């Protein structure tokens, strides 16, 4: 039975995709603070945020990474038979503010086979961009993907 998901062999180096978008709300930040136990004043206190280099409260960096992974996974054109996330290399290039609408732009940077005939690794170069076209986060996701076994 087919799942409609692509295998390692179906993924091409250089293919590029754009995810759906999401607008970051105060609720996202408050809920993430509760989940992560990160109640830093920069995320929770608007008056403090006004005195920061950002001039306002900003979202947690790791919230941006989590949203990147979620949005990437909702990209219909890149539905793969993922087996495991192997890791991220990630940079916080700019702030994510309440009201920003973010979208993930990603492409297959490279891929490689593994010793196991049913697995391959896909390297995705990702940029999380706001509504102004500014890259707020960027990095690489290493993803283990199922291979076709014949």
């Amino acid at each position: 039975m087919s799942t409609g998901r692509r295998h390692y062999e179906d993924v091409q180096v250089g293919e590029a995709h754009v995810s759906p978008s999401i607008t970051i709300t105060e609720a996202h930040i408050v809920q993430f603070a509760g989940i992560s136990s990160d109640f830093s004043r920069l995320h929770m206190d608007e008056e403090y945020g006004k005195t920061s280099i950002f001039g306002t409260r900003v979202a947690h960096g790791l919230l941006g990474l989590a949203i990147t992974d979620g949005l990437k996974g909702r990209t219909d054109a890149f539905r793969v038979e993922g087996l495991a996330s192997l890791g991220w290399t990630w940079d916080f290039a700019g702030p994510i503010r309440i009201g920003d609408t973010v979208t993930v732009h990603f492409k297959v940077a490279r891929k490689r086979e593994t010793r196991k005939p049913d697995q391959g690794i896909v390297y995705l170069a990702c940029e999380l961009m706001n509504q102004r076209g500014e890259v707020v986060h960027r990095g690489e996701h290493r993803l283990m993907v199922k291979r076709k076994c014949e």
Side-chain angles (χ1 to χ4, degrees):
M1 183 167 95
S2 173
T3 63
R5 294 185 181 268
R6 299 164 64 204
H7 290 83
Y8 173 84
E9 294 83 356
D10 303 321
V11 175
Q12 302 301 314
V13 172
E15 68 178 80
H17 301 278
V18 178
S19 76
S21 299
I22 190 169
T23 300
I24 305 304
T25 66
E26 180 177 16
H28 290 114
I29 294 171
V30 171
Q31 290 172 355
F32 191 81
I35 290 168
S36 66
S37 294
D38 179 353
F39 295 95
S40 167
R41 292 169 52 191
L42 185 58
H43 310 307
M44 306 304 294
D45 182 341
E46 180 59 33
E47 292 307 311
Y48 177 80
K50 288 177 183 177
T51 69
S52 76
I53 60 172
F54 306 114
T56 188
R57 293 168 56 194
V58 297
H60 304 73
L62 292 177
L63 173 58
L65 175 58
I67 286 173
T68 297
D69 194 42
L71 290 176
K72 188 174 54 58
R74 291 179 43 213
T75 306
D76 289 335
F78 193 76
R79 298 244 183 218
V80 295
E81 287 285 352
L83 298 171
S85 176
L86 299 177
W88 291 82
T89 303
W90 204 243
D91 294 317
F92 307 130
I96 300 172
R97 294 175 171 87
I98 294 172
D100 277 353
T101 299
V102 295
T103 308
V104 182
H105 295 251
F106 63 101
K107 69 178 180 178
V108 178
R110 62 189 184 284
K111 63 183 207 173
R112 71 172 177 85
E113 296 178 355
T114 66
R115 291 182 210 160
K116 296 184 179 182
D118 62 338
Q119 301 171 0
I121 299 174
V122 175
Y123 298 79
L124 301 174
C126 304
E127 292 183 327
L128 183 64
M129 299 178 77
N130 64 23
Q131 70 278 8
R132 293 177 296 281
E134 300 164 337
V135 175
V136 293
H137 291 189
R138 72 169 53 93
E140 182 177 79
H141 183 206
R142 294 176 310 283
L143 182 63
M144 185 176 295
V145 177
K146 185 174 182 163
R147 291 180 63 193
K148 296 176 183 175
C149 296
E150 299 182 24

